[in-house]
Amino acid sequence: MAAARYGQPVGLAPGVWRVTAPNPSPMTHDGTQSYVVVADGRAAVIDPGPSHREHLAALAAVLGGATLDAVLVTHSHADHSPGARPFAEAHGAPVLAFGPHGAGMSAQMRRLAAAGGDLGGGEGADAGFAPDREVADGERIGVGPIEIEALHTPGHLSNHLSFRLVGQGIVLTGDAVMGWSTTLVSPPEGDMAAQVATLGRLRALVADITDEPPVRFLPGHGPVVEDPARLLREQIAHREVRRSALVAALADEPADAVSLARRLYTDTPPALLPAAARNVLATLLQLMAEGEAEPCGPLSARVAFRSLSV
């Protein structure tokens, strides 16, 4: 992927444009990628990103004279959703998403969130986000002749949606699948069991789409994924390897997420080790839900877990 050209639209398919927000960081790659879909004078914008004046102006320029039907939001993180409200209000369109921040949490994660304690989480949350209209899994939104299907893809965040452009072989994956890295899963809003299920669902979707152009993923960060079947296979295998490594490590002795991350993520830059520790904690909670591990004390981000495997 070439260096991002902030404010300059990049055409990815007929009527599909990408504009990258100028918010690069170790967690956002070159920046958040917003998408504009335009067809027959109608348009939708997906993930306007941060409320950055120049970025929102660049998105408006891509609209040209098209009528904005909807602003679609994949999830309520501060690099994806804050620009939705000002952009929608400026163009007289509704904001559509799965639900407010926290919607879609699993029963386990709801219990953990309600229990309080020192579990951490909430990195980058746009906690006040709420859409004008909630979109159900499988619902289709019309934009001129184009149908956009909403897919509930939790894991990275509980209210995460991906958007499929029906008939075009394109899936906008937000942060569920990224083009440059595996996805951060930070509980309780992030859920590793849900993320693994999401990867499996997307793999099945790619396999089932046989009457469209070859499927491509347009992620919220990183390059276009030209071979999503391969990437999904690799990411599912990666999660399985990490899970197995944790099971083996806990068989040796109890350990906490931070020490396990240092032990297992030896190829991870130091700046990203805190994110790795959150992924480890998410996997430990997955093992806890599956009856394979338990905390050695009150649940927290630093509590040690022990194996329950015979």
Side-chain angles (χ1 to χ4, degrees):
M1 181 178 178
R5 297 175 296 165
Y6 300 122
Q8 299 183 38
V10 177
L12 301 173
V16 180
W17 301 86
R18 180 182 67 206
V19 182
T20 303
N23 62 333
S25 77
M27 298 302 296
T28 62
H29 197 250
D30 285 337
T32 303
Q33 294 174 162
S34 304
Y35 295 93
V36 183
V37 177
V38 184
D40 289 359
R42 316 298 298 191
V45 169
I46 297 90
D47 280 356
S51 186
H52 185 280
R53 184 175 59 186
E54 287 78 11
H55 179 62
L56 298 184
L59 293 175
V62 179
L63 293 179
T67 298
L68 185 65
D69 288 329
V71 174
L72 308 178
V73 175
T74 62
H75 64 293
S76 52
H77 270 159
D79 58 324
H80 286 259
S81 55
R85 178 62 56 202
F87 193 81
E89 290 180 351
H91 296 275
V95 176
L96 275 55
F98 182 79
H101 190 72
M105 293 176 73
S106 68
Q108 181 200 24
M109 294 304 161
R110 287 199 304 271
R111 288 194 298 270
L112 294 178
D118 186 24
L119 194 63
E123 301 90 345
D126 184 8
F129 173 80
D132 295 314
R133 184 167 74 79
E134 296 181 5
V135 179
D137 179 49
E139 182 175 341
R140 294 190 175 188
I141 301 117
V143 179
I146 295 177
E147 284 192 317
I148 302 177
E149 181 181 11
L151 306 169
H152 187 213
T153 48
H156 174 65
L157 206 62
S158 61
N159 67 352
H160 196 291
L161 289 175
S162 298
F163 296 103
R164 174 190 169 207
L165 306 188
V166 179
Q168 299 196 38
I170 290 174
V171 183
L172 305 164
T173 57
D175 287 2
V177 177
M178 299 190 293
W180 73 291
S181 173
T182 53
T183 296
L184 170 66
V185 180
S186 180
E189 295 154 309
D191 184 328
M192 187 59 76
Q195 177 64 18
V196 171
T198 281
L199 294 175
R201 180 185 186 183
L202 290 173
R203 179 170 63 177
L205 175 71
V206 171
D208 288 345
I209 296 176
T210 58
D211 57 348
E212 299 181 12
V215 179
R216 294 184 297 157
F217 285 176
L218 309 187
H221 308 276
V224 173
V225 178
E226 300 286 358
D227 188 352
R230 178 187 59 78
L231 181 64
L232 289 166
R233 184 169 61 249
E234 291 173 353
Q235 291 203 358
I236 290 169
H238 172 80
R239 295 298 187 189
E240 291 173 348
V241 166
R242 292 297 194 196
R243 182 186 183 282
S244 296
L246 284 178
V247 170
L250 292 182
D252 294 336
E253 60 181 350
D256 64 39
V258 173
S259 62
L260 286 165
R262 290 173 180 155
R263 174 177 171 183
L264 300 176
Y265 285 69
T266 56
D267 57 348
T268 298
L272 295 180
L273 275 175
R278 298 304 297 176
N279 277 341
V280 169
L281 179 61
T283 307
L284 290 170
L285 293 175
Q286 179 188 8
L287 294 174
M288 177 178 154
E290 294 169 353
E292 294 200 35
E294 68 178 4
C296 297
L299 193 59
S300 73
R302 293 302 300 261
V303 71
F305 281 72
R306 58 175 162 253
S307 173
L308 293 177
S309 298
V310 178

